[in-house]
Amino acid sequence: MNFATFARSTALVAAVALIPATTSGMAEIDGRAGPQFAKLFAVYQKVKADYVDPVQDDKLVKGAINGMLAALDPHSAYLDGSDLQRLETMIDGNYSGLGLSVVMDDGAVKVVSPFKGSPADKAGIKAGDYITHLDGKLIYGGSLDDAVNQMRGKTGTKVKLTIYRPGRDEPFDVSVTRGVIELEPVTSELLKGNIGHISVNEFSKDVGNDVFTAYEGLRAKAGGKLNGLVLDLRKNPGGSLDEAVALSDLFLTNGRIVSQRGRAPGETIVYDAETVFRGEMAQGVPVIVLIDEGTASASEIVAGALQDHHRAVIMGERSFGKGSVQTLIPLGPDAALKLTTARYYTPSGHSVQEGGIQPDIVVPQLTDPDFALREKMSLRESDLRGHLVNEAALKDTDLEQDKRADPRFQQTAEQLKAKGIEDFQLNYAVETLRRTAGVGAKTLAKRP
């Protein structure tokens, strides 16, 4: 295990904790630690002495830690062994599997989002799906760690997932061929009309530099000038806070990018734009940022910063709403505690916790044939058990507004695909940039 990887970036703002808590040891607890710890130790002693079968200390300690952290929020976890390696893989490496971001929801494995271009994405797995069986074996009520391990495997092998999709009458099976998940953080393409499209799929190391390189490449292909840029943050579950700041800094010359506020004095930090980094990369170029319910945490930091500074139009669907920061605290050479230590705020002081980023222009993904069903059953931070409550005391009715039908968008997926439109949100963004050709970047961003 290369624990040094995590020392480079201990502030994480990933979408969800994908890994359940485990441990292999526990310090002695006695009455001197306080009455509550004395009660805990008394239960431990009674279980060890009187439970119907012998119980190993590791099992009891694991249960105690799981219960302690579960009482906090969905993103705090104890990591060791394979769990810590999995987080390392998410940040730095690649693996063979399906390419899913999942969470345990009342004993069921629920999909937060498939990674773009992954085997799961290509097989049609959607955010909000429940995975009930793997190769016919029921996984409900098991551990998330076991389910994740079963979904991984050798490249080219197949696994059958039984899916329950809210809104459908019956579960259905999907066969997915495992592949190497490269975790390619940045992809780009030049679209008709010299419109650049840069997708940021997750915030691993060097994302800021990768986006800068991608932009310069698109600009060269366009003959030195882009007429618009779509920054695509859809299905982006988050990652490194530092990389979110670095990406935002590409577009901003001054002002606040994000602030985080925690209980400890050292956890209250502000991040400002630094003109010495890149300056304004796309100066004068109109920018649209695409977001959806899978846009979480680090990607919400970027969307919120560019929205508050009127540097981009935010388009799509309300984001996931994870406004907390996790700090990775080493606990020896091969273990760590991933603990929620702060909330983050956009430049205007807005917390995205629960409510997420509300787009300037709401555009549903009409080319998804299951959109109408998923719109009603979408999974966001506010749906997770034990989530942090927004200090502004958001109302459920406000959070449900995005699930109401918009009369402006009545075309079906079949009608759009007959016109050659495979991605309605991206098409809408590109057409908006084409229609507003010649409009200054700041002017476009200030439009309602």
Side-chain angles (χ1 to χ4, degrees):
M1 158 54 59
N2 179 15
F3 191 75
T5 300
F6 300 98
R8 293 198 302 269
S9 180
T10 57
L12 302 174
V13 280
V16 294
L18 303 182
I19 307 161
T22 61
T23 187
S24 57
M26 183 177 181
E28 182 180 347
I29 302 172
D30 60 29
R32 290 174 297 178
Q36 297 305 318
F37 280 96
K39 187 184 299 181
L40 175 65
F41 190 57
V43 172
Y44 163 79
Q45 290 178 313
K46 292 301 292 182
V47 171
K48 288 288 290 183
D50 298 334
Y51 188 67
V52 64
D53 293 318
V55 185
Q56 296 296 317
D57 283 349
D58 283 355
K59 184 174 183 179
L60 294 177
V61 171
K62 178 180 178 178
I65 292 178
N66 278 336
M68 186 185 304
L69 295 175
L72 302 178
D73 67 271
H75 309 298
S76 295
Y78 179 88
L79 309 174
D80 71 348
S82 60
D83 296 341
L84 195 56
Q85 291 174 353
R86 190 170 301 121
L87 183 59
E88 180 181 41
T89 295
M90 183 186 76
I91 295 174
D92 279 331
N94 57 59
Y95 64 93
S96 179
L98 307 183
L100 284 171
S101 174
V102 294
V103 65
M104 187 65 76
D105 182 20
D106 283 339
V109 177
K110 192 170 187 177
V111 177
V112 173
S113 180
F115 291 108
K116 292 180 185 176
S118 68
D121 189 29
K122 294 175 181 177
I125 306 299
K126 306 290 186 183
D129 285 348
Y130 289 90
I131 303 173
T132 62
H133 297 72
L134 294 173
D135 286 329
K137 179 183 176 182
L138 180 68
I139 59 172
Y140 176 82
S143 75
L144 185 61
D145 193 47
D146 288 342
V148 170
N149 286 335
Q150 290 180 57
M151 285 187 275
R152 291 188 176 180
K154 292 183 179 179
T155 298
T157 59
K158 292 186 178 180
V159 60
K160 182 177 70 174
L161 279 62
T162 300
I163 303 295
Y164 170 72
R165 181 167 294 167
R168 292 198 178 186
D169 294 334
E170 299 290 338
F172 58 94
D173 292 335
V174 177
S175 181
V176 185
T177 301
R178 297 181 178 95
V180 175
I181 311 303
E182 295 289 350
L183 299 182
E184 186 175 12
V186 178
T187 58
S188 61
E189 60 181 335
L190 184 65
L191 304 176
K192 185 179 178 181
N194 283 350
I195 304 295
H197 176 216
I198 298 178
S199 292
V200 181
N201 303 316
E202 41 97 19
F203 282 87
S204 57
K205 63 178 181 179
D206 297 327
V207 161
N209 285 326
D210 290 345
V211 170
F212 180 80
T213 300
Y215 179 82
E216 290 298 301
L218 291 174
R219 193 164 65 91
K221 290 179 181 179
K225 186 180 186 304
L226 289 174
N227 293 324
L229 176 66
V230 178
L231 182 63
D232 198 338
L233 300 180
R234 294 174 298 173
K235 298 181 182 178
N236 185 320
S240 167
L241 172 62
D242 288 342
E243 291 302 326
V245 172
L247 176 53
S248 302
D249 206 1
L250 292 173
F251 296 92
L252 302 173
T253 55
N254 56 69
R256 183 65 38 84
I257 291 176
V258 65
S259 61
Q260 69 175 60
R261 307 172 200 168
R263 190 176 68 176
E267 293 297 338
T268 299
I269 307 172
V270 298
Y271 299 85
D272 294 330
E274 300 179 12
T275 55
V276 295
F277 181 64
R278 295 291 186 193
E280 190 172 0
M281 177 183 70
Q283 189 170 8
V285 176
V287 179
I288 289 178
V289 177
L290 284 179
I291 64 173
D292 63 8
E293 73 276 10
T295 301
S297 211
S299 47
E300 291 175 289
I301 287 175
V302 176
L306 299 190
Q307 184 179 54
D308 283 1
H309 283 284
H310 301 293
R311 182 59 189 87
V313 169
I314 311 302
M315 183 179 291
E317 301 160 90
R318 182 169 62 89
S319 63
F320 186 81
K322 179 180 176 294
S324 61
V325 176
Q326 281 67 51
T327 299
L328 205 63
I329 304 168
L331 298 175
D334 59 356
L337 175 64
K338 183 160 71 76
L339 187 66
T340 300
T341 55
R343 290 178 169 88
Y344 70 78
Y345 298 82
T346 69
S348 66
H350 167 69
S351 169
V352 305
Q353 181 62 24
E354 287 193 280
I357 299 294
Q358 185 66 30
D360 301 308
I361 302 175
V362 177
V363 179
Q365 182 58 302
L366 297 183
T367 41
D368 178 359
D370 294 307
F371 167 73
L373 300 177
R374 291 196 309 106
E375 187 180 33
K376 296 178 181 179
M377 304 297 295
S378 57
L379 172 71
R380 290 185 171 89
E381 174 80 6
S382 55
D383 301 311
L384 299 181
R385 181 182 296 274
H387 66 270
L388 291 179
V389 175
N390 191 299
E391 296 159 312
L394 301 176
K395 297 179 180 178
D396 289 341
T397 53
D398 295 334
L399 298 178
E400 299 296 322
Q401 284 183 354
D402 57 315
K403 297 183 180 181
R404 299 171 185 171
D406 191 325
R408 296 177 300 166
F409 301 109
Q410 296 298 324
Q411 293 173 286
T412 65
E414 292 74 17
Q415 290 171 332
L416 291 167
K417 290 184 178 181
K419 298 177 182 179
I421 300 174
E422 298 294 328
D423 184 337
F424 180 72
Q425 290 174 326
L426 177 59
N427 181 78
Y428 196 95
V430 171
E431 289 302 316
T432 299
L433 289 170
R434 288 174 182 164
R435 288 195 303 268
T436 56
V439 174
K442 295 287 186 180
T443 302
L444 177 65
K446 289 181 179 179
R447 291 187 173 187

